[in-house]
Amino acid sequence: GPNPVALKPIGRSPAYAPSLKRKEDDVGGSRNKPGIARLFGGGNSDMKAKVAQLEYELENERAHASELGGKLRAVEGELAKVKDSLDLYKGRCKEQEKEIFKLEKKNEETQRGFDTGMAVAKKQIKYLEELLEEEKRKNQ
């Protein structure tokens, strides 16, 4: 028949054997970890470190986002002020355009008045020159 094979006893592997040291003596944090866990990077301590690092990064990102949110609110406030000023200046510009139009109209009227006055003055000068010429001819 078949040869009997020596079987290992059923139970826990020596790699999983509990440590005989007390927990208070465990200063390094990984001495009491099972052997297999030590072979694959120290078990929970690396995972906890990674979680702590990610939580730290998350808090930094939240703080940064909060800071950016504050800056955004400040910039939006400034933008609202600028828009208010823009509306104010638009109103002022419309008033100034009306004022400029009035002044241009007045200037045209003044210019027309001046041109008319100048035309009258030229006619008068011409008339006086003609009178002077006539007097000169009479006196010769």
Side-chain angles (χ1 to χ4, degrees):
N3 288 339
V5 177
L7 297 174
K8 290 184 179 180
I10 297 174
R12 293 171 59 113
S13 162
Y16 287 102
S19 172
L20 298 176
K21 285 182 146 193
R22 292 191 334 221
K23 294 287 180 193
E24 293 83 20
D25 295 340
D26 185 19
V27 177
S30 64
R31 282 190 197 146
N32 284 343
K33 300 254 186 277
I36 295 290
R38 269 185 266 132
L39 288 176
F40 292 104
N44 280 343
S45 69
D46 282 353
M47 190 68 78
K48 286 178 185 175
K50 184 69 174 172
V51 167
Q53 179 186 356
L54 291 174
E55 285 174 345
Y56 174 76
E57 289 174 9
L58 177 63
E59 282 306 309
N60 282 343
E61 289 301 317
R62 283 182 179 156
H64 185 65
S66 176
E67 179 185 341
L68 290 177
K71 287 180 179 179
L72 177 62
R73 283 187 293 281
V75 167
E76 285 173 342
E78 291 297 316
L79 178 61
K81 288 179 187 175
V82 168
K83 284 182 178 179
D84 289 344
S85 294
L86 177 64
D87 292 340
L88 177 70
Y89 285 116
K90 280 182 179 179
R92 285 184 182 175
C93 283
K94 285 182 182 178
E95 290 174 19
Q96 294 299 321
E97 284 175 355
K98 289 178 185 175
E99 194 65 31
I100 289 169
F101 181 73
K102 287 179 187 174
L103 290 171
E104 285 175 343
K105 190 173 180 182
K106 189 174 182 179
N107 188 35
E108 286 175 18
E109 291 170 1
T110 303
Q111 187 66 42
R112 266 189 256 128
F114 176 77
D115 290 345
T116 303
M118 193 61 137
V120 169
K122 284 181 181 178
K123 285 181 183 178
Q124 287 176 340
I125 291 171
K126 189 173 183 183
Y127 175 72
L128 290 173
E129 285 175 344
E130 288 173 1
L131 284 178
L132 183 62
E133 285 299 318
E134 238 179 79
E135 284 298 318
K136 281 183 182 178
R137 271 187 255 136
K138 285 182 186 177
N139 289 332
Q140 282 181 354

